[in-house]
Amino acid sequence: QIGTLNSFVRFVKGANKVDAAFVASNTSLISADILDIGTPTTTSVNPVVNMAVKKSGRTTGLTTGTVSTINATVLVSYGAGCGVYKFVNQFVVTPGSFSAAGDSGSPVMDANSNPVGLLFAGSSTSTICNPISAVQSALGLTF
């Protein structure tokens, strides 16, 4: 065990803004560094179209992409028994190789390692991310 579930956001049948949870952990068990990226800054930034972004994910490792859409509304299927949920005010990163199954939860950073978003869904053509400001607000977090 590396931590304790501190907070999470429940899905609603209407419009969701984030798919996120926060685990509180002892700093002796974890590092602030992100593999292949280093320590992120404490300055979060909003995504903008054509922004270069990067992430280090469990499945695909370090990848780079470009924000192609902001303020997107998407429907995300969580599989049989869980349903489809609508998310609003998301941003989309391309190309599709930016992420794959297992990369969910990866922080998305700009070129200067400023937090931009949280990766939570994707397909073979694009990746869907929650803006980090919405994650911070929903979970009551500050950097």
Side-chain angles (χ1 to χ4, degrees), residues 108-132:
V108 176
M109 318 300 246
D110 70 6
N112 298 313
S113 297
N114 296 311
V116 178
L118 184 67
L119 188 159
F120 83 102
S123 70
S124 62
T125 59
S126 61
T127 297
I128 312 300
C129 306
N130 308 142
I132 200 66

Side-chain angles (χ1 to χ4, degrees), residues 16 29 33-35 38 66 73 75 97 119 123 137:
N16 294 277
L29 299 175
D33 287 352
I34 298 172
L35 183 65
T66 304
T73 297
L75 297 175
S97 60
L119 188 159
S123 70
S137 178

Side-chain angles (χ1 to χ4, degrees), residues 48-101:
V48 295
V49 172
N50 294 323
M51 173 187 276
V53 292
K54 60 187 174 183
K55 69 97 188 85
S56 178
R58 182 203 64 136
T59 303
T60 58
L62 179 64
T63 59
T64 59
T66 304
V67 174
S68 62
T69 307
I70 58 172
N71 299 319
T73 297
V74 297
L75 297 175
V76 177
S77 174
Y78 285 85
C82 293
V84 175
Y85 290 88
K86 178 176 161 181
F87 288 84
V88 297
N89 301 324
Q90 306 303 295
F91 69 95
V92 179
V93 176
T94 56
S97 60
F98 184 71
S99 70

Side-chain angles (χ1 to χ4, degrees), residues 2-3 23-33:
I2 63 159
V23 173
S25 184
N26 181 317
T27 56
S28 69
L29 299 175
I30 61 168
S31 169
D33 287 352

